[in-house]
């Protein structure tokens, strides 16, 4: 039987891996992927809380509906973020964070 604590443990581990990736990596694409990993860890927590919170014996699906909208917005965020990364790569010819010191071209 899988409990809420199991889901929260996995979510916490995913968030920790994402946070460590943001702090330790130098490649902007990997940092972007780690940020998405952190967002998905938060989504997993929302789904877990939604699943295990019962009203009148039935799960409350409000958290899962919120996750659906978060994923929709995250898809648009990925498109814009990758476009910015591609523009930075074309201008600077690098994806390392320390080589990109300003946002002006």
């Amino acid at each position: 039987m899988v409990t809420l604590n199991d889901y929260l443990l996995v979510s916490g581990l995913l968030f920790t891996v994402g946070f460590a990736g943001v702090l330790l990596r130098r490649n902007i694409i990997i940092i972007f992927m780690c940020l998405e990993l952190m967002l998905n860890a938060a989504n997993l927590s929302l789904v877990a809380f939604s699943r295990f919170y019962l009203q009148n014996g039935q799960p409350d699906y409000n958290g899962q509906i919120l996750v659906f909208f978060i994923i929709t917005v995250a898809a648009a965020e990925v498109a814009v973020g990758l476009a910015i990364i591609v523009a930075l790569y074309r201008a600077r010819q690098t994806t390392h964070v320390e080589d990109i010191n300003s946002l002006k071209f």
Side-chain angles (χ1 to χ4, degrees), residues 53-105:
Y53 178 70
L54 300 178
Q55 284 185 333
N56 300 327
Q58 296 292 329
D60 184 20
Y61 293 113
N62 290 335
Q64 295 179 15
I65 293 170
L66 179 64
V67 167
F68 176 74
F69 288 113
I70 291 172
I71 290 172
T72 304
V73 171
E77 176 230 341
V78 167
V80 171
L82 285 177
I84 292 171
I85 291 171
V86 168
L88 283 171
Y89 179 76
R90 286 183 180 173
R92 305 289 174 130
Q93 297 298 315
T94 185
T95 57
H96 294 296
V97 175
E98 63 267 359
D99 295 338
I100 303 171
N101 56 4
S102 68
L103 289 177
K104 61 182 177 182
F105 289 99

